[in-house]
Amino acid sequence: MNLGFFTMPIHPLDKDWQLSLREDREAFLLADELGFTEAYVGEHVTDKAENITSCIAFIAWIAAATKQIRLGTGTINMPNTHPATVAASMAMLDHMLDGRLIFGISPGGLLSDAELFGNLDANRNEMFLESINQVLDIWAGEPPYNFQGKYWNISTQKTLIKDIGQGFIARPLQRPHP
């Protein structure tokens, strides 16, 4: 039997943030030590109780301290971040984890996050679909990139300098992708 671990850590509102983060980190390290095969962490920018604001940053913090466990974003709320940022950050994280990354995504469900990022009244499911398709297109494509969408445009056509690597977005280690 394989065991997995998922957390959207909920802490008392008055608890010290550094202590909460250290305890959350220790839970992941213990799961790795106990032989769990995978672990996921959620993210919310505007929730004091669920106080991991970036699952990418959190996973990067614990990446080198884990040995075997696959770590997953649970989830990247796609409408709240530019797809090129997601593609580049996830590619880097996949390399940092030597291919142990699981890429979990969603349209996001916390309305205060949606309001913060200006998409409260938008069709977040439509944004989600456009975003993940653009991430996958970046990973499958070659520069110069030129993706036009309803919500995001991605281009390096005017600024690509192939000889020195400018205008290139990294690909993840896993093929075709995490």
Side-chain angles (χ1 to χ4, degrees):
M1 175 187 335
N2 292 324
L3 295 175
F5 172 61
F6 171 78
T7 186
M8 294 173 43
I10 298 176
H11 298 282
L13 297 180
D14 59 348
K15 187 173 185 179
D16 179 76
W17 194 14
Q18 285 185 315
L19 177 60
S20 296
L21 292 171
R22 281 195 303 269
E23 288 175 354
D24 294 337
R25 181 180 195 271
E26 289 302 316
F28 278 81
L29 298 182
L30 181 59
D32 184 48
E33 198 176 298
L34 293 174
F36 281 56
T37 57
E38 57 191 35
Y40 301 83
V41 62
E43 68 178 14
H44 291 300
V45 175
T46 61
D47 191 330
K48 196 170 183 180
E50 292 183 46
N51 57 14
I52 292 182
T53 60
S54 168
C55 54
I56 292 173
F58 185 83
I59 291 171
W61 183 34
I62 64 175
T66 60
K67 307 213 177 351
Q68 62 190 8
I69 198 166
R70 293 177 53 83
L71 298 174
T73 56
T75 61
I76 300 289
N77 300 315
M78 300 297 281
N80 300 342
T81 308
H82 193 284
T85 300
V86 173
S89 296
M90 294 307 293
M92 182 176 161
L93 192 54
D94 193 39
H95 282 271
M96 291 169 68
L97 283 165
D98 197 27
R100 292 186 290 127
L101 178 67
I102 301 170
F103 182 29
I105 58 176
S106 77
L110 188 63
L111 295 181
S112 55
D113 278 1
E115 179 182 7
L116 178 72
F117 291 107
N119 59 47
L120 180 62
D121 297 322
N123 183 336
R124 287 189 305 282
N125 289 329
E126 187 177 72
M127 293 178 79
F128 165 80
L129 188 59
E130 178 177 311
S131 180
I132 188 54
N133 285 334
Q134 287 182 337
V135 168
L136 295 174
D137 287 345
I138 288 169
W139 288 343
E142 292 288 334
Y145 309 101
N146 189 22
F147 309 120
Q148 305 303 310
K150 180 176 178 180
Y151 300 99
W152 295 280
N153 297 321
I154 298 170
S155 178
T156 60
Q157 279 196 296
K158 294 178 185 175
T159 56
L160 178 68
I161 308 174
K162 252 187 178 167
D163 298 0
I164 61 172
Q166 287 184 358
F168 169 81
I169 301 171
R171 288 193 178 105
L173 179 63
Q174 295 177 71
R175 297 287 184 241
H177 51 73

